[in-house]
Amino acid sequence: MKKPMNLIFVLALVGILAGAAFAQFAKTEDAIKYRQSVMFLVGQHFSRMGAVVKGEQPYNKEAFEKNAVLVESLYRLPLEAFMTPGSDKGSGMKADALAQKDKFTQMHNTTEAELAKLAAVAKGGDLSAIKPQFGAAGASCKACHDAFHNK
Amino acid sequence: MKKPMNLIFVLALVGILAGAAFAQFAKTEDAIKYRQSVMFLVGQHFSRMGAVVKGEQPYNKEAFEKNAVLVESLYRLPLEAFMTPGSDKGSGMKADALAQKDKFTQMHNTTEAELAKLAAVAKGGDLSAIKPQFGAAGASCKACHDAFHNK
């Protein structure tokens, strides 16, 4: 079922989506579902890398890199959905999150940078360099979740 | 930077996100949620192109191309999730879909090809060429939904 990594695909995602500002959600619920969809996919592919870092799965450079690039790419999508007014209702977002948009954006950008670094070291293929960067990326995820996501 | 501590944090996060198992999908429900997440995002970005094709939104080459490339890229992700045994339960998938895996895969691949063509014409920037290919892509989506998705 696995296909070889499609470099065009991943490079297109990374390049095309960088700085992209996708407008328009028809409904507030769509913004919530949009970001939840992205974050579920991010979680899935981040966890696949985590299994390797923990030694539960063997390290395969191509597969790890694919996951890292995909996570980096996906994570560029949802900021606008997070910022959508009213979307703090009916989601796991803390009630005061949208009152701290600057902090939210800053933390989002920090994670984005950590994920970009992770993709870069994944391309390098040195697991001893990947592991600490995976940790740094995960820590930035956790910091933002702690700040803005209900337990 | 306390990288070992970061690693501990992230491993905890991975555990929270995905449970202990690291098969491609830890649970059948994850496969369902995975493909539903992908398809929601595909639907969102396909609809944004649809609004342009229908004349409800102005045509902007860069924005249209971003949507087309994103949809093409996302659509490469979920086939394995669709094929996961047992995932026809508790989802919108028709009961007999997984008994027709070859047909399902063939239709999925057809849509993948149509979306690749759509991304290609979107890069060309000729709306008169984009419109019929958008229609062809949408028709392939509909054909597969009609075959395998409950109304």
Side-chain angles (χ1 to χ4, degrees):
Chain A
M1 200 63 61
K2 282 183 184 175
K3 294 181 177 181
M5 179 169 63
N6 184 330
L7 266 179
I8 292 171
F9 151 49
V10 294
L11 292 175
L13 265 179
V14 170
I16 295 290
L17 300 179
F22 291 117
Q24 77 225 199
F25 292 102
K27 299 173 292 185
T28 306
E29 303 83 67
D30 285 348
I32 295 171
K33 195 170 177 183
Y34 184 97
R35 70 197 191 206
Q36 289 178 340
S37 295
V38 171
M39 296 307 281
F40 179 78
L41 297 173
V42 165
Q44 287 285 304
H45 288 277
F46 200 76
S47 295
R48 291 179 194 181
M49 290 187 277
V52 175
V53 168
K54 287 203 279 186
E56 296 173 357
Q57 293 289 327
Y59 173 61
N60 174 282
K61 179 182 184 294
E62 185 184 44
F64 198 97
E65 182 179 333
K66 183 178 178 182
N67 283 317
V69 172
L70 180 59
V71 166
E72 179 199 11
S73 304
L74 286 167
Y75 193 74
R76 293 181 188 279
L77 294 175
L79 184 57
E80 183 182 359
F82 278 117
M83 296 289 101
T84 299
S87 71
D88 48 343
K89 311 290 188 299
S91 77
M93 186 183 276
K94 285 188 179 175
D96 61 349
L98 291 184
Q100 305 173 69
K101 283 191 175 184
D102 287 350
K103 182 183 174 190
F104 194 112
T105 300
Q106 186 181 36
M107 295 189 84
H108 189 88
N109 291 345
T110 297
T111 299
E112 194 172 299
E114 295 291 359
L115 292 173
K117 286 183 200 169
L118 180 59
V121 293
K123 286 170 189 167
D126 176 2
L127 189 57
S128 71
I130 288 170
K131 283 183 177 179
Q133 184 52 39
F134 182 84
S140 73
C141 297
K142 183 180 185 301
C144 198
H145 281 222
D146 287 349
F148 296 120
H149 198 281
N150 288 316
K151 303 299 175 194
Chain B
M1 183 173 291
K2 298 173 182 175
K3 283 175 178 174
M5 188 58 74
N6 286 345
L7 188 57
I8 291 167
F9 283 146
V10 72
L11 294 180
L13 182 68
V14 167
I16 290 163
L17 287 173
F22 288 98
Q24 207 66 322
F25 295 104
K27 299 174 291 186
T28 306
E29 303 83 68
D30 286 348
I32 294 171
K33 194 170 178 183
Y34 185 96
R35 70 197 191 208
Q36 288 178 341
S37 295
V38 171
M39 296 307 280
F40 179 78
L41 297 173
V42 165
Q44 286 284 304
H45 289 277
F46 199 76
S47 296
R48 292 178 194 182
M49 290 187 276
V52 175
V53 168
K54 288 194 279 186
E56 297 171 356
Q57 293 288 328
Y59 172 60
N60 174 283
K61 179 183 183 294
E62 185 185 29
F64 198 97
E65 183 179 329
K66 283 174 184 168
N67 283 316
V69 171
L70 179 59
V71 166
E72 180 199 9
S73 303
L74 286 168
Y75 193 74
R76 294 182 189 277
L77 295 175
L79 183 58
E80 183 179 0
F82 278 117
M83 296 290 102
T84 299
S87 70
D88 49 342
K89 312 291 189 300
S91 77
M93 186 183 276
K94 284 187 179 176
D96 61 349
L98 291 185
Q100 304 173 71
K101 283 191 173 184
D102 287 349
K103 182 184 174 191
F104 195 112
T105 300
Q106 185 181 36
M107 295 189 84
H108 189 88
N109 291 345
T110 297
T111 299
E112 194 172 298
E114 294 292 359
L115 292 173
K117 286 184 201 170
L118 180 59
V121 293
K123 286 171 188 165
D126 177 2
L127 190 56
S128 70
I130 288 169
K131 284 183 176 178
Q133 184 53 39
F134 182 85
S140 74
C141 296
K142 183 179 185 303
C144 199
H145 281 222
D146 287 349
F148 295 119
H149 198 282
N150 289 316
K151 303 299 176 193

